[in-house]
Amino acid sequence: MKNMTLSSDFILLGLLVSSKATGIVFTVIFAIFVVAITTNLVMIFLIQVDSRLHTPMYFLLSQLSIMDTLFICTTVPKLLVDMVSREKTISFVACGFQIFLYLTMIGSEFFLLGLMAYDRYVAICNPLRYPVLMNRKVCLLLAAGAWLGGSLDGFLLTPITMNVPYCGSRSINHFFCEIPAVLKLACADTSLYETLMYICCVLMLLIPISIISTSYSLILLTVHRMHSAEGHKKAFTTCSSHLTVVSIFYGAAFYTYVLPQSFHTPEQDKVVSAFYTIVTPMLNPLIYSLRNKDVMGALKKIFSCCSSAQKVATNDT
């Protein structure tokens, strides 16, 4: 029974760094993980407590921070444990759960980034109707739609992946259970499923990219008609952060799921996967906070309130 249980486990080969560099890589990844969790939680906290950030744009941004927090927690803790332990196994059930979570998070983020582009379109092209078109009910529906779209991707692809027969080697040449790496261990023909997954991924990318392209095309036309330099600057500042995040996230996803396998190696896959599962969740809140006066203002306000409260407490003592 014990042997049967062990045989159902997978082995994650990890990043395959040299033993001398393991300590450095572990420290870097752990630091990125802490920064990502901290910055995303701070972003969520600021948006909740500061009334100036109670707008549709920041509501959607808080959803992005929630997704990034869950996304990085899906892969990095297991990676860090594996880097310092001799056993690098992951159970069949845990592998399926990891696949479902990362598919849900990445799919939800795809849709959310598209909806954030629509939000910017309404704000810039229809500013007078913005409070009506993007009221609280609409924002909740948009966020729910993004989460639902991502979870459908997880519910569709996870059961199929885990029902494929696996035999022979149980070693996954990756640091987490990513579908392309797991399917390489299958002992059955998976070409039909890979085609289905390819179509699904293309649709998952095509729908939000169409929304983003249309939204920003209309934004560019509107900005072009503006005669105010201040209006140009405000529109650029508002959209540049979002476009930066979109370029990073969609570029990595396109490489992994749309580009044919013959165009990249397992080592390259791991580097790209590490980038969008580890680095991107840290970059997103930094990009939005460092380039946003409202977020920085809210952060300074919190620090000043904490400083004032500390001084009052010291004086009372």
Side-chain angles (χ1 to χ4, degrees):
M1 181 65 70
K2 183 178 179 181
N3 289 335
M4 287 176 65
T5 304
L6 289 173
S7 66
S8 68
D9 292 345
F10 291 107
I11 300 170
L12 295 170
L13 297 182
L15 293 173
L16 293 180
V17 296
S18 64
S19 56
K20 294 180 180 179
T22 300
I24 298 173
V25 175
F26 177 89
T27 304
V28 171
I29 293 175
F30 181 74
I32 292 174
F33 178 70
V34 171
V35 171
I37 295 295
T38 303
T39 51
N40 278 296
L41 291 179
V42 167
M43 183 72 78
I44 296 167
F45 174 73
L46 290 175
I47 292 170
Q48 289 295 319
V49 300
D50 196 306
S51 58
R52 292 175 301 176
L53 303 182
H54 291 174
T55 64
M57 182 180 80
Y58 291 110
F59 170 75
L60 295 176
L61 188 55
S62 70
Q63 297 300 303
L64 181 65
S65 289
I66 293 170
M67 291 174 187
D68 280 336
T69 303
L70 294 174
F71 194 22
I72 197 169
C73 287
T74 301
T75 58
V76 173
K78 174 61 177 170
L79 170 62
L80 293 173
V81 170
D82 286 347
M83 291 183 75
V84 296
S85 64
R86 296 184 66 181
E87 288 193 10
K88 305 180 189 299
T89 58
I90 182 170
S91 69
F92 188 82
V93 173
C95 186
F97 191 60
Q98 194 176 59
I99 289 174
F100 172 76
L101 281 178
Y102 95 79
L103 283 176
T104 300
M105 291 306 112
I106 197 173
S108 300
E109 199 156 329
F110 282 159
F111 289 119
L112 186 69
L113 290 172
L115 295 174
M116 290 173 73
Y118 170 74
D119 170 72
R120 292 301 81 213
Y121 155 72
V122 177
I124 294 172
C125 301
N126 296 284
L128 297 179
R129 299 184 62 196
Y130 184 65
V132 176
L133 294 174
M134 292 296 292
N135 59 53
R136 181 165 181 78
K137 183 179 179 181
V138 171
C139 289
L140 290 172
L141 287 173
L142 291 177
W147 283 100
L148 179 63
S151 62
L152 286 176
D153 189 37
F155 280 120
L156 174 66
L157 297 181
T158 304
I160 301 175
T161 303
M162 303 316 290
N163 279 301
V164 171
Y166 296 100
C167 50
S169 175
R170 310 293 289 184
S171 299
I172 300 173
N173 190 13
H174 216 303
F175 62 89
F176 74 102
C177 290
E178 192 167 32
I179 291 179
V182 174
L183 287 179
K184 289 180 180 178
L185 306 181
C187 54
D189 182 19
T190 59
S191 56
L192 181 62
Y193 173 48
E194 287 177 14
T195 303
L196 171 66
M197 185 175 67
Y198 178 82
I199 294 170
C200 182
C201 291
V202 168
L203 288 174
M204 291 283 287
L205 286 168
L206 193 60
I207 294 171
I209 284 176
S210 300
I211 297 172
I212 292 168
S213 302
T214 304
S215 297
Y216 278 105
S217 297
L218 294 171
I219 287 171
L220 285 174
L221 288 173
T222 302
V223 171
H224 181 68
R225 296 192 193 108
M226 290 181 181
H227 300 291
S228 167
E230 185 65 28
H232 286 181
K233 183 180 179 182
K234 187 175 180 181
F236 175 77
T237 303
T238 304
C239 299
S240 59
S241 298
H242 182 254
L243 283 173
T244 303
V245 171
V246 165
S247 301
I248 293 171
F249 195 72
Y250 280 78
F254 181 87
Y255 176 89
T256 303
Y257 293 101
V258 179
L259 203 65
Q261 290 292 317
S262 57
F263 284 84
H264 43 99
T265 64
E267 287 70 28
Q268 291 171 337
D269 288 344
K270 283 189 276 189
V271 171
V272 175
S273 296
F275 184 78
Y276 79 81
T277 59
I278 301 172
V279 180
T280 302
M282 178 194 71
L283 289 179
N284 287 352
L286 293 177
I287 290 170
Y288 279 108
S289 61
L290 294 176
R291 304 183 68 177
N292 191 300
K293 292 181 180 179
D294 293 334
V295 174
M296 294 304 293
L299 190 60
K300 289 176 182 177
K301 184 180 176 182
I302 293 294
F303 276 130
S304 62
C305 288
C306 291
S307 179
S308 300
Q310 189 175 10
K311 286 180 180 178
V312 170
T314 304
N315 291 334
D316 290 343
T317 303

